[in-house]
C-alpha cells in the first residue's frame, strides 16, 4: 500500500467518523421528530374526538332547534287563531252591546237615572183615566189596521190571496207577541228598571221589523208611541199612588198626634183642676181658722203656701189654655243613636206633646237596637217653623234624599248649634257626648274599647250651654209652659233640701229611692224620666 493509499485511508476514516457523528445526530433528531410526531398525532386524535363530540352536540342542538322552530310555528299558528277568535269575539260583544238590555237588579239600582215625570196630573185617578184612554186608542189602532204594516204583494205559489192571508196571520202573531212583551214590561215597571223597560219596547219593535222584513211587516210609529205613553203613564201612576199613600200616612199620623195632644191637655187640665179644687178647699178651711185665730203663725204660713200652690195652678191652667190656643207650640228635638247609625248622624224632629220624652221613647222601640240619646230639647212657640228651618239648612245632608219623613242628617253637632243660633233667639242647652249606655256596655262585653265618659268628667264634658242670644237661661225656662216644665223636671220640696244626706237616708223609705250612676236620690213625686244626662237637679240627693 502506498503513501497515497495511506493518506486516503486516513481521510476515509475521518470522513467515516464524521458520517457516524452526523448519523448519530440525525438519529437523535429523528427520535426527537418521532416524539413530536407522536405528540401531534395524539393532539390530532384528541382534536378528532373533540370534533366528534362537538359534532354530536351540534346535531343535538340542530334537533332541539328544529323542535323549537316547530313549537314556535305552532305558537304562531295558535296566536293567529286566538287573534282571529278575539276579533270575532270583539265583533260579537260589540253587536251584543248594541242589542242587549241590562235587566240585572243590582246593576239597575246603581245605574238608573232620576226620572222626570212627563205628565203632571193632580191625582192618581187622573192617571188611571189617562191609562184607560191610551189603551182604548191602542184598540182603535188595531181595529183600523193601523197598528202594524205589511206587504200587499206577497204571494204563495203565485197565489196573491194566500199570500195576503199569510201576511195577515203573521201580523197578528207578531203583534200579539209585541203586546205580551209590552204588557209584561208595563206590569213590572219600577223606578229601577224604567229606562231598561223603555229601551226594551223599542228593541222589541225593531226585532219584529227585522224578523219579518221579507214581508215588510213592522210596528207603526203611532202604535209604538201609544205603548211608550202607556209605560210612562203606568209608571207615573204608581209613583202618584205611592205619593198619595205617603201623604195620607202623614195626615193620619198628624191626626193621631193631634188627638193624643188634645187628650193629654184634657187629662192635664182635669188633674190641675182637681188640684185647684183641693187647694181652694184647703185654703178656705185655713181662712176660716184664721178668722177664729188670726195671730197663729202656722196658719198664716200654711195660707201662704196654699196661695203659692194656687198661683202655680193658675199658671199651669194658663199654660194649657195657651197650648190649646196655639197648636204650633211644641218641642224640636235633636237626638242620636250611635249604636244604630254611627257618629255624626242626628234626627231632627218635632213633637207637640206635653212630655216630649214620650215621643223619644216611641222612636227607640224594638225597631232599633239601642235607645236614642237626647242632645237638645228646644221649646218653641212655632215648633214647625223651627224644624223646617233646620231641615232646610241640612237639605243636602239627608241620609234619605227621597222620603222627606226620614229626618236623619249626616252633620256635626257644632253645625246644628250654629244653625239653631241663627234661627232661635233663646238659650238652648246641648248635651255634647251621648250617654249610649247600652251600646257602650255591649261593646265592652264584646271586648272592644268604647270611649265611655268618666263620672267625674260628665258635668264638664257632656253638659254645655250654647248662648244663642243675650236672653238668660232662666228667661228661656220661664217662656216654657209650667205644666210642661213640671212634666220634665219634678219639683222637690224645700224642707227636704235643707236636710243633711245622713238624715235624709234615715228618714226616706228605701223603696222610694232612685239609684243612678251619679248617686242615690229621693224619688220625686210625680216621677218622670229626666232627659238630661248627668246628675239630677229635680230631686234631693240622699247619698
Amino acid at each position: 500500500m502506498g503513501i497515497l493509499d495511506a493518506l486516503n485511508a486516513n481521510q476515509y476514516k475521518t470522513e467515516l467518523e464524521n458520517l457516524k457523528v452526523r448519523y448519530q445526530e440525525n438519529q437523535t433528531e429523528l427520535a426527537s421528530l418521532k416524539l413530536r410526531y407522536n405528540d401531534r398525532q395524539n393532539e390530532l386524535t384528541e382534536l378528532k374526538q373533540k370534533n366528534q363530540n362537538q359534532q354530536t352536540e351540534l346535531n343535538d342542538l340542530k334537533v332541539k332547534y328544529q323542535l323549537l322552530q316547530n313549537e314556535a310555528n305552532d305558537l304562531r299558528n295558535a296566536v293567529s287563531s286566538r287573534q282571529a277568535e278575539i276579533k270575532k269575539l270583539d265583533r260579537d260583544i260589540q253587536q251584543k252591546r248594541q242589542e242587549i238590555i241590562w235587566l240585572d237588579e243590582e246593576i239597575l239600582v246603581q245605574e238608573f237615572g232620576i226620572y222626570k215625570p212627563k205628565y203632571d196630573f193632580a191625582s192618581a185617578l187622573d192617571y188611571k183615566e189617562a191609562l184607560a184612554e191610551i189603551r182604548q186608542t191602542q184598540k182603535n189602532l188595531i181595529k183600523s189596521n193601523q197598528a202594524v204594516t205589511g206587504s200587499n204583494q206577497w204571494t204563495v205559489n203565485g197565489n196573491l190571496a194566500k199570500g195576503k192571508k199569510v201576511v195577515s196571520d203573521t201580523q197578528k202573531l207578531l203583534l200579539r207577541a209585541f203586546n205580551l212583551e209590552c204588557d209584561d214590561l208595563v206590569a213590572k215597571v219600577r223606578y229601577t228598571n224604567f229606562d231598561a223597560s223603555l229601551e226594551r219596547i223599542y228593541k222589541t219593535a225593531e226585532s219584529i221589523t227585522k224578523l219579518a222584513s221579507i214581508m215588510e211587516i213592522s210596528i207603526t210609529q203611532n202604535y209604538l208611541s201609544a205603548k211608550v205613553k202607556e209605560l210612562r203613564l203606568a209608571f207615573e201612576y204608581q209613583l202618584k199612588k205611592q205619593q198619595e199613600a205617603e201623604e195620607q200616612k202623614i195626615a193620619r199620623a198628624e191626626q193621631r198626634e193631634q188627638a193624643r195632644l188634645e187628650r193629654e191637655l184634657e187629662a192635664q187640665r182635669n188633674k190641675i183642676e182637681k188640684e185647684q179644687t183641693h187647694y181652694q178647699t184647703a185654703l178656705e178651711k185655713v181662712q176660716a181658722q184664721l178668722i177664729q185665730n188670726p195671730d197663729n203663725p202656722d196658719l198664716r204660713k200654711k195660707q201662704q203656701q196654699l196661695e203659692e200652690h194656687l198661683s202655680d195652678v193658675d199658671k199651669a191652667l194658663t199654660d194649657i189654655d195657651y197650648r190649646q190656643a196655639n197648636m204650633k207650640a211644641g218641642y224640636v228635638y235633636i237626638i242620636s243613636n250611635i249604636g244604630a247609625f254611627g257618629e255624626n248622624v242626628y234626627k231632627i224632629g218635632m213633637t207637640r206633646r206635653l212630655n216630649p220624652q214620650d215621643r223619644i221613647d216611641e222612636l227607640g222601640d224594638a225597631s232599633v237596637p239601642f235607645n236614642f240619646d237626647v242632645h237638645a230639647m228646644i221649646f218653641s212657640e212655632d215648633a214647625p217653623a223651627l224644624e223646617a228651618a233646620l231641615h232646610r239648612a241640612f237639605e243636602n245632608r239627608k241620609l234619605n234624599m227621597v222620603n222627606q219623613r226620614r229626618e236623619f242628617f249626616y252633620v256635626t253637632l257644632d253645625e246644628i248649634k250654629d244653625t239653631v243660633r241663627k234661627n232661635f233667639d233663646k238659650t238652648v242647652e246641648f248635651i255634647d257626648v251621648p250617654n249610649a249606655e247600652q251600646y257602650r256596655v255591649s261593646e265592652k262585653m264584646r271586648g272592644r274599647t268604647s270611649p265611655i265618659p268618666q263620672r267625674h268628667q260628665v258635668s264638664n264634658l257632656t253638659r254645655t250651654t250654647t248662648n244663642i242670644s243675650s236672653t238668660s237661661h232662666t228667661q228661656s225656662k220661664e217662656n216654657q209652659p209650667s205644666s210642661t216644665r213640671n212634666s220634665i223636671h219634678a219639683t222637690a220640696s224645700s224642707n227636704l233640701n235643707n236636710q243633711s244626706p245622713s238624715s235624709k237616708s234615715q228618714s226616706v223609705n228605701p223603696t222610694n229611692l232612685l239609684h243612678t250612676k251619679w248617686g242615690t236620690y229621693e224619688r220625686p213625686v210625680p216621677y218622670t224620666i229626666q232627659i238630661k244626662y248627668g246628675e239630677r237637679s229635680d230631686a234631693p240627693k240622699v247619698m
Side-chain angles (χ1 to χ4, degrees), residues 439-450:
Y439 164 69
R440 301 185 195 278
V441 173
S442 299
E443 291 294 287
K444 200 164 187 178
M445 292 173 66
R446 295 188 189 96
R448 303 175 185 173
T449 58
S450 181

Side-chain angles (χ1 to χ4, degrees), residues 25-299:
E25 290 176 354
N26 289 333
Q27 283 295 113
T28 302
E29 185 177 357
L30 179 61
S32 176
L33 290 172
K34 285 183 178 179
L35 289 175
R36 291 175 62 186
Y37 173 76
N38 290 333
D39 291 339
R40 296 294 185 273
Q41 195 69 24
N42 291 333
E43 289 179 1
L44 180 60
T45 303
E46 290 178 357
L47 289 173
K48 287 181 178 179
Q49 184 65 35
K50 287 183 178 180
N51 184 41
Q52 185 177 359
N53 293 336
Q54 290 178 351
Q55 191 67 31
T56 302
E57 186 177 355
L58 178 61
N59 293 333
D60 294 340
L61 289 174
K62 287 181 178 180
V63 172
K64 290 182 179 179
Y65 174 76
Q66 190 63 37
L67 292 175
L68 290 173
Q69 192 70 23
N70 295 336
E71 186 176 355
N73 292 333
D74 292 341
L75 289 175
R76 288 191 189 95
N77 295 332
V79 169
S80 299
S81 177
R82 293 293 184 272
Q83 286 178 344
E85 186 177 352
I86 288 173
K87 290 181 180 179
K88 183 178 180 300
L89 289 174
D90 287 340
R91 289 193 299 269
D92 292 342
I93 290 173
Q94 189 65 25
Q95 183 179 0
K96 296 298 182 185
R97 283 178 176 173
Q98 294 176 357
E99 297 178 357
I100 194 165
I101 298 175
W102 296 101
L103 291 175
D104 185 85
E105 292 295 335
E106 294 182 0
I107 297 176
L108 287 172
V109 168
Q110 296 175 3
E111 296 184 353
F112 73 88
I114 302 299
Y115 178 80
K116 295 182 179 179
K118 187 175 181 180
Y119 309 99
D120 190 16
F121 295 127
S123 66
L125 183 60
D126 294 335
Y127 279 102
K128 189 174 182 180
E129 293 176 353
L131 271 173
E133 291 178 3
I134 194 61
R135 286 166 181 164
Q136 184 61 43
T137 300
Q138 295 173 17
K139 292 179 182 179
N140 295 335
L141 289 173
I142 294 173
K143 289 179 181 179
S144 60
N145 294 325
Q146 297 180 11
V148 61
T149 61
S151 175
N152 295 326
Q153 304 300 323
W154 183 262
T155 61
V156 177
N157 296 327
N159 192 324
L160 186 61
K162 289 183 178 180
K164 289 183 177 180
K165 186 176 186 308
V166 170
V167 171
S168 178
D169 292 342
T170 306
Q171 286 177 329
K172 293 178 182 178
L173 181 63
L174 294 177
L175 184 59
R176 177 174 294 181
F178 179 70
N179 287 336
L180 289 175
E181 181 75 15
C182 292
D183 291 344
D184 183 64
L185 293 172
V186 169
K188 296 180 180 179
V189 64
R190 296 189 303 277
Y191 212 112
T192 55
N193 66 0
F194 173 79
D195 292 334
S197 300
L198 182 61
E199 184 69 16
R200 186 70 173 270
I201 290 178
Y202 287 116
K203 289 294 183 181
T204 302
E206 183 180 349
S207 298
I208 289 175
T209 302
K210 289 181 180 180
L211 288 173
S213 59
I214 194 172
M215 297 182 183
E216 300 179 2
I217 296 176
S218 64
I219 304 297
T220 64
Q221 186 61 43
N222 289 338
Y223 194 76
L224 179 60
S225 300
K227 282 297 182 184
V228 170
K229 185 176 181 180
E230 181 185 5
L231 180 70
R232 291 185 179 276
L233 286 171
F235 176 55
E236 295 184 21
Y237 175 50
Q238 291 183 10
L239 293 180
K240 197 66 176 180
K241 286 198 300 182
Q242 183 179 359
Q243 178 185 350
E244 291 181 353
E246 287 290 336
E247 291 174 353
Q248 292 174 1
K249 185 178 180 180
I250 294 173
R252 289 194 297 269
E254 290 179 352
Q255 290 175 358
R256 289 194 300 269
E257 187 73 12
Q258 182 67 25
R260 181 177 298 170
L261 175 61
E262 291 176 357
R263 289 194 300 269
E264 287 182 359
L265 290 173
E266 190 62 29
Q268 188 73 6
R269 177 183 291 278
N270 294 335
K271 179 181 177 182
I272 294 175
E273 287 178 349
K274 287 181 181 179
E275 292 181 359
Q276 185 182 34
T277 303
H278 170 73
Y279 289 134
Q280 188 66 39
T281 304
L283 180 61
E284 292 175 356
K285 291 182 179 179
V286 170
Q287 289 175 345
Q289 293 174 359
L290 280 173
I291 294 175
Q292 299 176 358
N293 192 2
D295 297 330
N296 191 326
D298 293 335
L299 290 176

Side-chain angles (χ1 to χ4, degrees), residues 384-411:
L386 178 59
E387 180 195 32
L390 294 175
H391 288 181
R392 285 193 301 271
F394 306 118
E395 182 71 24
N396 60 340
R397 311 286 288 278
K398 286 183 178 179
L399 268 65
N400 189 335
M401 302 296 291
V402 178
N403 193 332
Q404 301 296 323
R405 298 183 69 247
R406 309 298 184 186
E407 303 163 331
F408 289 90
F409 302 87
Y410 188 77
V411 293

